Amino acid sequence: MGAHHFKQLEMADATLLAGPTASSYRTVADPKNYMVACDGSDPSRHAVNYLLGIVRPGTDTVTLVTVAEPLPEDNAEKRRKIEKAVESTLHFYMLKLCEVGVAVEARPLHTSESAGKALCDEAERSGANYFMVVIGCRGLGAVKRKLLGSVSDFVSKNCAIPVLIVQ
């Protein structure tokens, strides 16, 4: 995983960061698998709503990915709480996509890595074949983003496939 040079395309409410080969490996008619980062936040909801406008039901697929803490082996109660929170988050988005006929898969990632790194690793996972990562953005200013960090900023700078940041 490393820095990539991207062409930035500004849209009304989203920014597409597309690498040099982003459009060269798929045609418009090809089925696409979108990876959507979701965590239950308002920016995640906006990202899924935006995706609903571009995904083609019956043709494209969506893989919902959420990053959560590792599941403890020795604490069954904490394990159930984490699993329930992840299931609840993914279920909400799955229902929304299934209602319009989009094939959807859920991939919870239980890791101690940062969310940004885990998302980039998943996007580049062998066999995943994602067309694009779709991720929401909290809309932090430049100073707050630098101080607090931004998952969408990290993913956009480190992911090897195109990233659509929905604002």
Side-chain angles (χ1 to χ4, degrees):
M1 189 167 57
H4 302 281
H5 298 287
F6 290 100
K7 178 179 175 187
Q8 185 168 326
L9 306 171
E10 294 290 336
M11 296 170 267
D13 51 1
T15 301
L16 174 63
L17 298 166
T21 61
S23 62
S24 64
Y25 68 98
R26 301 271 175 96
T27 66
V28 174
D30 286 340
K32 294 168 182 62
N33 184 12
Y34 294 88
M35 179 182 133
V36 183
C38 55
D39 63 4
S41 66
D42 284 341
S44 284
R45 286 187 194 98
H46 292 307
V48 171
N49 287 334
Y50 191 89
L51 180 68
L52 287 170
I54 59 175
V55 70
R56 299 167 300 169
T59 302
D60 298 335
T61 59
V62 172
T63 302
L64 300 170
V65 179
T66 190
V67 180
E69 63 186 287
L71 295 172
E73 296 294 326
D74 58 345
N75 187 334
E77 183 179 336
K78 184 174 182 180
R79 183 182 183 93
R80 276 193 302 277
K81 283 183 181 179
I82 294 169
E83 288 173 334
K84 185 172 177 149
V86 167
E87 182 180 308
S88 175
T89 296
L90 291 172
H91 185 73
F92 172 81
Y93 296 111
M94 288 181 81
L95 284 177
K96 195 169 193 123
L97 290 159
C98 287
E99 283 176 355
V100 296
V102 175
V104 63
E105 175 189 350
R107 286 194 50 83
L109 304 177
H110 294 280
T111 180
S112 56
E113 292 182 328
S114 71
K117 177 152 178 21
L119 291 169
C120 288
D121 288 349
E122 171 59 22
E124 297 165 16
R125 180 175 56 86
S126 176
N129 201 25
Y130 295 118
F131 173 70
M132 176 186 301
V133 174
V134 180
I135 188 168
C137 176
R138 292 182 292 176
L140 296 176
V143 173
K144 281 188 178 179
R145 188 169 50 248
K146 186 72 172 171
L147 292 173
L148 300 175
S150 164
V151 174
S152 60
D153 190 49
F154 181 91
V155 172
S156 70
K157 290 179 180 171
N158 293 283
C159 194
I161 64 172
V163 177
L164 177 68
I165 301 173
V166 180
Q167 302 160 353

